[in-house]
DNA sequence: TCGCACATGTAAATCGTTACATGATTAT
DNA sequence: ATAATCATGTAACGATTTACATGTGCGA
């Protein structure tokens, strides 16, 4: 009962526990599979978080044996359920995007045109990779293989956002590659007009 | 010369210093105005970072007076310039999105339908707000008011990504509102078919 | 002259990551 | 039998944030 403020990561785990009891490893699996797209956390952190939930009285743990091996299974408590319900009703904090590739792009003039294009190709690859990962998940749903049918509709709402983001990333990068390829170098074209024209077009949209 | 590894935030500041010398406050301004979209950091951190750059020999500081008031102006060193050039050539780390609203959506079934819709409306608002902020910036560029014309083309490449993301966010949330409004409650429709159909459509695209 | 926004930080707390560690299981 | 990878952590470090602190200039 250390009564600290729970973090979003805590609630992410707690939300999983609200569905059913999980072993730590499966919690981590589930997190990296689903929430990783919009709440990425290191695995070690996922192993630590349930312990904190127990310390705060939001979860209970019990030891089980799988074969020769001990595993800890966590289960949500009524108090945990209440905390979760309270939390989802509160307003959420803003989206937060950290995009190092964009920072590098921003300072691309201090590098080479090839490096600039490399970064953009990386963006295309990342967008494409996410779409692939999502395709695999979607296929399971379509095949009826999803473990929690009662959650399908909410999950799909989330997935559609990730899909849209990944697609936007890929398409943007693809278009930018076409443009940058025509620059004489990373310092760009002497003429600012095409860039300004692009902005004018966005303003009109 | 503490020779620690620089962080992305260090390079973000360093990149600004590569353009011209800045006072701390103006650095912070510039960061919140431009880079905040894809590299958000607390202001206090932005005040601390230049000091670290000086300690590492990547920047020099000098005191100036504006009226009665002292201000510290930072300037990049040749060593700093070299570090920056090296950095932009290295591969970038992945995009990282942290979206608490989506986490709350994911566990929306433990709340009310109104809360769910509130979160979605917040998403629309956030997308719209970003578009507005960008519009203001674009207008300056179009009017020819931008301070660093030689950087226009790279900046526009970045802006176009932010614009696309903000638009995708807004459009997704708008569409989801339409769908969720027809649910009987946060536990969603009894029928999973519409959700699955949406996935099928995405798979085909 | 009162208050508010500007301008510039500092100190402490903390969430999270990196790097390591180790036994168990499975494939070759 | 060996290697790989699964499963489960721990400990230390550190970047960043939160909360505080403080003086300045300006508008009403």
């Amino acid at each position: 009962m250390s009564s600290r403020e729970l973090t979003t990561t805590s609630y992410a785990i707690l939300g999983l526990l609200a569905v059913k009891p999980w072993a730590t490893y499966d919690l981590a699996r589930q997190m990296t599979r689903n929430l990783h797209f919009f709440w990425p956390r290191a695995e070690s952190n996922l192993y630590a978080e349930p312990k904190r939930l127990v310390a705060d009285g939001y979860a209970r743990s019990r030891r089980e044996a799988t074969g020769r091996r001990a595993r800890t299974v966590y289960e949500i408590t009524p108090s945990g359920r209440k905390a979760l319900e309270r939390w989802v009703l509160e307003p959420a904090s803003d989206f937060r995007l950290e995009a190092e590739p964009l920072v590098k792009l921003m300072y691309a003039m201090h590098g080479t045109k090839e490096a600039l294009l490399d970064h953009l190709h990386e963006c295309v690859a990342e967008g494409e990779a996410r779409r692939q990962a999502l395709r695999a998940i979607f296929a399971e749903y379509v095949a009826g293989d999803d473990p929690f049918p009662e959650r399908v509709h909410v999950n799909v709402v989330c997935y559609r956002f990730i899909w849209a983001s990944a697609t936007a990333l890929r398409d943007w990068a693809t278009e930018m590659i076409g443009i940058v390829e025509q620059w004489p170098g990373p310092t760009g074209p002497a003429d600012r007009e095409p860039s300004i024209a692009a902005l004018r077009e966005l303003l009109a949209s």
Side-chain angles (χ1 to χ4, degrees), chain A:
Chain A
M1 291 292 169
S2 68
S3 210
R4 61 175 181 134
E5 210 66 34
L6 296 190
T7 66
T8 305
T9 308
S10 318
Y11 287 110
I13 299 276
L14 200 54
L16 250 19
L17 293 180
V19 179
K20 67 159 205 164
W22 300 82
T24 333
Y25 181 72
D26 298 314
L27 274 177
R29 274 293 83 116
Q30 207 59 24
M31 285 288 288
T32 49
R33 185 195 140 110
N34 289 315
L35 279 81
H36 187 250
F37 292 107
F38 47 88
W39 200 257
R41 285 302 176 266
E43 256 199 291
S44 66
N45 198 6
L46 305 180
Y47 277 93
E49 198 56 53
K51 290 184 207 307
R52 291 183 211 134
L53 290 176
V54 170
D56 289 339
Y58 297 121
R60 252 191 302 274
S61 66
R62 85 185 106 94
R63 298 295 275 185
E64 279 189 5
T66 323
R68 199 170 297 200
R69 203 169 181 150
R71 57 189 316 174
T72 313
V73 177
Y74 292 90
E75 186 181 3
I76 196 169
T77 62
S79 153
R81 232 173 254 284
K82 224 171 289 165
L84 181 64
E85 275 162 35
R86 218 180 305 121
W87 181 74
V88 295
L89 295 181
E90 281 163 20
S93 63
D94 284 352
F95 281 67
R96 180 190 180 93
L97 171 70
E98 293 187 359
E100 195 183 89
L102 285 207
V103 182
K104 296 214 178 195
L105 276 186
M106 198 102 187
Y107 300 133
M109 23 179 31
H110 306 293
T112 64
K113 184 174 151 184
E114 284 68 41
L116 215 176
L117 285 170
D118 281 351
H119 290 317
L120 284 171
H121 280 292
E122 255 311 307
C123 290
V124 175
E126 192 169 335
E128 211 43 88
R130 286 203 210 159
R131 284 168 53 100
Q132 269 315 108
L134 286 170
R135 269 180 211 285
I137 294 173
F138 294 175
E140 289 179 28
Y141 276 87
V142 168
D145 274 356
D146 56 307
F148 309 110
E150 76 280 11
R151 305 186 54 81
V152 172
H153 57 293
V154 210
N155 288 352
V156 167
V157 168
C158 293
Y159 284 138
R160 290 178 76 166
F161 173 77
I162 308 301
W163 179 267
S165 303
T167 307
L169 171 60
R170 184 199 59 173
D171 293 347
W172 162 80
T174 306
E175 192 182 352
M176 292 309 110
I177 286 171
I179 291 174
V180 170
E181 268 171 351
Q182 286 166 42
W183 291 356
T187 38
D191 187 11
R192 55 184 262 129
E193 209 23 63
S195 296
I196 300 296
L199 293 185
R200 219 178 272 118
E201 209 175 305
L202 292 185
L203 278 175
S205 75

